[in-house]
Amino acid sequence: MALYEHVFLARQDITPQQVDALVEQYKGVIEANGGKVGRVENWGLKSLTYRIKKNRKAHYVLMDIDAPAPAVHEVERQMRINEDVLRYMTIAVEKHEEGPSAMMQKRDRDDRPRRDGDRPDRGGFGDRGPRPDRGDREDRPRRPREDRA
C-alpha cells in the first residue's frame, strides 16, 4: 500500500467536536477500503492567507494514511461533497515523519534571528562604512532648498 499525507481545512464556524467527527468519518472510509490511518494532528483554528468561500479562518487537520489509491480517491470524493470542508490536499510520501510535524513544533523566540542586524549572514545598516561614491560630506557647504527659501 502507498503512504500519503492528507491535510484538510474545515470551516471556521464548526466546533472542534465536529472536526473530530469529520476525522472519524474519513478514518472509517479509509479503513473500510482496506487502509489505515496513523498519526492525526489537529493544528487548530488558523487564519487563512486569503478568504475561501467567505471564511477568514479554518480548522487545519493532518492525517498520515497508509492505504490503496481507491481508498484515498473515495475520501477525496466525499470531501468534495461535504460543505464543511473548504480545501484538501493529499501528497504521496516515501515514509511518514517521526514525531510532531513542523506546524506542531514549538519554536522559541530566542531561536529566530532578530531584526536589528543580529544576523550573522548580513549586518545592520551601521556597519557598512563610508560610501566611496559620495566623498567627504562634512566639508561641503549646504545649500538651502529652493522650496523653503
Side-chain angles (χ1 to χ4, degrees):
M1 286 190 278
L3 300 175
Y4 300 96
E5 284 186 358
H6 180 82
V7 177
F8 71 91
L9 281 63
R11 288 186 314 148
Q12 65 185 0
D13 55 344
I14 66 174
T15 64
Q17 291 80 17
Q18 288 172 311
V19 174
D20 293 339
L22 282 174
V23 170
E24 292 303 319
Q25 173 187 347
Y26 297 130
K27 254 193 203 181
V29 171
I30 290 169
E31 290 168 358
N33 286 302
K36 62 181 180 179
V37 176
R39 169 181 64 167
V40 175
E41 285 185 357
N42 189 339
W43 294 343
L45 188 66
K46 295 190 167 291
S47 295
L48 297 171
T49 304
Y50 53 90
R51 278 203 263 170
I52 301 173
K53 298 181 184 174
K54 299 182 181 179
N55 290 287
R56 293 185 182 273
K57 293 185 177 190
H59 294 274
Y60 284 67
V61 178
L62 167 75
M63 296 169 34
D64 284 348
I65 300 172
D66 182 9
V72 175
H73 291 304
E74 178 61 21
V75 167
E76 290 179 345
R77 186 188 72 79
Q78 289 192 17
M79 285 191 176
R80 273 193 299 272
I81 295 169
N82 193 338
E83 58 189 39
D84 288 338
V85 177
L86 299 174
R87 292 279 191 277
Y88 62 87
M89 182 171 62
T90 307
I91 298 174
V93 294
E94 294 291 322
K95 66 176 199 160
H96 292 302
E97 291 181 7
E98 296 294 322
S101 66
M103 292 292 288
M104 296 299 286
Q105 291 174 357
K106 185 173 186 319
R107 299 184 75 193
D108 288 338
R109 295 184 72 83
D110 300 333
D111 294 344
R112 292 183 275 173
R114 296 189 330 215
R115 289 185 171 199
D116 62 355
D118 189 32
R119 300 181 207 172
D121 58 334
R122 67 175 107 141
F125 291 111
D127 62 352
R128 282 199 229 170
R131 288 186 52 182
D133 61 333
R134 292 203 176 166
D136 287 337
R137 296 187 74 150
E138 291 83 26
D139 57 350
R140 277 192 288 175
R142 293 188 61 142
R143 352 175 254 185
R145 287 178 49 182
E146 293 180 14
D147 61 340
R148 291 186 187 167

